Amino acid sequence: MASNGLKFALFLGCVIPNRYPFIERATKAVFGKFKIELIEMEGASCCPAPGVFRGFDIDTWLVVGARNITIAEELGVDIALMCNGCYGSLLEVNHTLKHDKEKKKMVNEHLAKIGREFKGTAKIRHVIDIMYHDIGPEKIRNRTKYGRKVPLNLNLAVHYGCHLVKPRDIRPWDNQVENPTFFDELVEISGCKSLNYKDKFMCCGAGGGVRGAFKELSLDYTREKLENITAAQADAIITGCPFCHLQFDLGQVEVNNIFKDKISAPFSIPVLYFTQLIGLAMGMKAEELGMIRSPDLKGVPPFTPVKPILTKIGESA
Amino acid sequence: MEIIKTNKITKISDDLSNLLRDAGYLELSACIQCGTCSGGCPSGRRTAYRTRSLMKKVQLGLKEEVLSDKELWFCSTCYTCYERCPRGVPVTDVIIYLRNLAVQEGYMQAPHLALCKMFYDTGHGVPINDNFSQLRKHHKLSDLPPTTHQFPKAAKEIQTLLKSTEFDKLTGVGDYEKKEDKKGG
Amino acid sequence: MSSQELYEPYILGIFCNWCSYAGADGAGTSRMQRPANLRIVRVMCGGRIDPQFVLNAFMNGADGVMISHCHPGDCHYIEGNLKTVRKIPLLKRYIAQFGINPKRLKYIFVSASEGVVLTEIAREYSQELKEIGPNPITGGN
Amino acid sequence: MVKPKNGIKITGREPPKIGVYICWCGINIGGVVDVPKLCDYSRSLPNVVLASEYKFMCSDIGQGMIMEDIRAGKVNRVVVASCSPRMHEETFRRACEEGGLNKYLFEQANIREHCTWVTMNDIPGATRIAKDHIRMAVAKAGQLKPLEVTTVKVEPATLVVGAGIAGINAALDLANSGYKVYLVEKSPTVGGHMAQLDKTFPTMDCSSCITTPKMSEVARNPNIELMTYSEVVALDGYVGNFKARIEKYPHYIDQEACTGCGHCVDICPIECANEFELGMKPRKAIYISFPQAVPGEYTIDMNHCIRCGICKEACPTDAVHYNDISEYVDIKIGTIIIATGFDPYDAKRLEQYGFGRHKNVINALQMERLLSSYGPTEGKVKRPSDLKEPESIVWVQCVGSRDFTGRGKKYCSRVCCMYATKQARSYKEKHPNTQILIFYIDLRAFGKGYEEFYYDAAKNYGIKFIRGRVSEILEAENDNLIIRAEETMLQRPLELEVDMVVLSIGLEPREDIDDIARIFNVTATKTEDGFLMEAHPKLRPVDTLTDGVFVAGNVVGPKDIPDTVAQAKAAASSAATLMSRGEVEIIPYYAMVIDHKCAGCKSCIGLCPFNAITFNEIESIAEINDILCKGCGTCVAACPSKAIIQNHFDDVQILPMIEAAIPKKSQKEEVKVE
């Protein structure tokens, strides 16, 4: 593949490859259009998840996280990833090990048993970060301007997710924490409007092991977010994280079910990963962005149909 | 209705706060109970979980009460409190560290144990299955992702590491499976 | 205990009166504890610090010399400290030629309110000197 | 050379007989190191003839011991091992002088701040350091030379910088004592922040009623030369003899010709935000800050003026001059009082409160203006979005105070609890049926009458105090605000919709504090909080480390009006004390050129920050003016021929100290065994 010099190791994590593979597909397709080379990280594992596994044993979390990073270090490139959870984990692991000599020593003693060594040569980048800082809004705008005959013109509810922006210390958003705008900027390049809605920056409820252990609690967050998003009359929810994505997509079905008596009407708001939206704006086909369902498969996402969006923008579904 | 009940504090100890101090969380001792953490907590808005109270219990050393309470696992690690705490207490990190201590004491939620088993067995917290392999193929991707799923040697590496850090022993997976009864939260 | 652990580095500090000496006083008033390795000579201004002071200190067996004055721009004498800023790199190269590890010369800026900073640096520097070992000129000890 | 008192002749050339006096400082020193053993050790040092100890050397008895030994001819040099010389050098020097010894034949060993206080738990270590410091001081003492103190006349005039309530009070006190005062204020009017306030706690005095008479008094007092819209741009000289250059910005109005008719303001087409009203009301590009401004002079704000010429044409007396430029005035003064005040904390830095984003979130200073009868709404508090009188108001305390994240200030700003209570009370007085809530962490009511004021606000006005720091503020559709916090007393989350929020912002150092510090040569003396540092927090609260420069009010740290005025009066009194003596001593640490050693290379000349070195073309040597020389010693260190010597900090004094700092091999080994 021709490259513009930008080359990353693509870290998949768990939810994307094993539950939401269309996020992988759409991201690879869109990055291809910008001639960014994405190399597979063979043998990568769970990041491991920052809420659960870190909550069980911090040292194990550091060791396994470091192993994932060593795969990219061996490839000699930085890591690109699509998940806020993986971002939180690997960013924090990388930062800790670069600055804490003792922890690094501990980690490398364990890694030695599988013939690996953490060096600290790779950077951890979220695809939103790469889009915003490396490709840049200007370049994306140039690609989207003539991508479609009719601009998308949707009203969108952007969901940032927590680990994308917090804690602020080691993240590239120039102290944007309480009221960030960078994701909205990116989304609005597609020709859509990014809505303000109540508690826009609130957590989706999935993280920290809460979804795993206390599903009702986690879905109550989601219910509140969905109510606020509905109040703002959004056409779709835009995510930058597969776990938030799952929580809104599958979670919507679950909320409609368990909070039947609490909600005024069942929710049905399409959920899109942001690379899918950018792809659409660039004139890419719904098919190559993974937005067409397989007629044969049951029990696979999207659980909340995205078809209304495709219909609305005049894409054949 | 029960009239007589008491939750009198009869002992204050440094044990728990010293564990946190040793781990580097000195700021916790400077918490002034302002309530910024619990005031902005999305979990606390719908449960009885109070981050602020948790911090006080740690300061006073109510160890058993803190570690055994399943509310410790109500935090969705959104880092809102961490960002806003005026005393610079890394609240979320403190909670995560407390969870480590809880796990060491054997307090864990059953679904989390299942997660550990999957992690040990496959290298993924959320592993693939046939249905999703089909979905991958539908999206023109390899049926197994190029992760530990595709590379058994890599999956073995994960197990070696989990043994090396004694994560298997801690959570009762692998060789330790079912050999130990875990207390539910 | 090994001899390495027994070795207590002798650090000579040369501090300006207005910032660093005051900062060291502040560290004392706030009871910030540091290893007992640093003794401090007071001069009125960083500009007064003659390279000869440093050389004499090493010749007399100091394991480390710590020079500290106001931050650039904060000098009580407008810019006396800036004259010292220029001397230090040369001085480091000079002592290296005599077989003295340039790390033995510590050059820092400490303001009157930075007792914490001084304490932190003094701690680290003591440790660093323990790793480097005793002054080679006086044969250690 | 030196004439000692009591008939004892000490020229400074006699062989040194050093007396070492070791202070226990209660248990501060004596509780860590073995003082009698240190005395024994001191006696073993060269030139030491006696070593004594006492609980408190700085006490009358301790000083008496020194004087007695000098008078008895036992010692001709004195070393006191105790606290920092920055604490008591002057004390012991005076004791020496009274005993009949030249006061520069004294040296202090700092075995408290630099020793026992920082190595409290390492007794052998502390003992080691104490011995080293004593040895160093003895080594220097042996080389000390008597110095002659020069005195200079003091100019009986004071420069007061900043004409807020602190500057005004200091200026008036000094002027009324007969001193000339130059009162310099950056903005076009005097009065400072106090002029913006509505009422003052806890007495509920009307702020203008007590400020405006003072404001006009400074304008009228014949001893005060008031320079508003002016700044000090340069300062030179030393205590008693400062020279300051003041830049007077052009008002672009000939104040002599101006009759104050105000016609120009009416017709000026440019509107911009009025700083005095914190942006809540417009003003014209040609303006007077507020009706009671002193002096009541019109000013054109050239940042906004488009020079359209309308006012110039309309002015009946032709007083408008667009091309005026700054004037510079040089003044001579003996003392300086810095009273430049504070900046209100910028609440935009705490984004979760939405200041600047949510229309009805205002800061407390804006609230003062809304409450003020001559404010933008003439005393009727209206919320910005729809000019409705709010039915519910929340005050959020500790905005930017008690914050250790770097986004706010660590300290308590000391005034917010009380001003919030005061504002709440003022509003509730006129609107008894409204809901007034104050969200706080700790309610601090420490001043005279403050606790009673707080009690009264709750009891008689029904103001509700809620313990919990507000976590976030959201804006609702109708521009109402949603407050999220925890009611920590009930341990329940709280989510309330209210009409308006007032952020109780703290006080922080002025944005230009560094420039102020630099100009007045107090740069080295800023505390960690960013305010100027007082010479001693307890005993010299209005002095700085630069002699003759005093501080008052919020420039030193946040404080309320009574404390500010008290400091202003203290600073005035300190300045007057200094000036009333008529002359001051100059520390004789100046440098001198040894003529025959000087090669005339001129290296030193460019180095001197004070232009004290000139080149004597005839002799081809450098010469140092000992009055201009401030004694930094930069030239001494730089002279390639070692032709420059410095009093009290010369090579012959410092080098033996360095040599003595490291014990000889044998002594070191002894240490190792310990």
Side-chain angles (χ1 to χ4, degrees), chain D residues 305-332:
Chain D
C305 173
I306 52 165
R307 296 186 184 227
C308 63
I310 295 177
C311 58
K312 191 173 171 62
E313 238 165 73
C315 179
T317 58
D318 197 21
V320 177
H321 301 292
Y322 290 142
N323 296 324
D324 279 357
I325 50 166
S326 285
E327 261 180 72
Y328 292 89
V329 182
D330 291 324
I331 57 170
K332 276 192 76 178

Side-chain angles (χ1 to χ4, degrees), chain D residues 271-343:
Chain D
E271 280 198 346
C272 44
N274 187 347
E275 302 84 351
F276 187 81
E277 304 293 359
L278 299 126
M280 294 188 299
K281 193 185 175 183
R283 64 159 167 79
K284 296 294 181 66
I286 183 164
Y287 71 107
I288 285 186
S289 295
F290 57 102
Q292 299 83 353
V294 173
E297 295 174 346
Y298 286 88
T299 305
I300 300 180
D301 167 7
M302 277 301 170
N303 289 327
H304 291 97
C305 173
I306 52 165
R307 296 186 184 227
C308 63
I310 295 177
C311 58
K312 191 173 171 62
E313 238 165 73
C315 179
T317 58
D318 197 21
V320 177
H321 301 292
Y322 290 142
N323 296 324
D324 279 357
I325 50 166
S326 285
E327 261 180 72
Y328 292 89
V329 182
D330 291 324
I331 57 170
K332 276 192 76 178
I333 60 265
T335 52
I336 297 168
I337 294 173
I338 307 175
T340 46
F342 66 93
D343 273 347

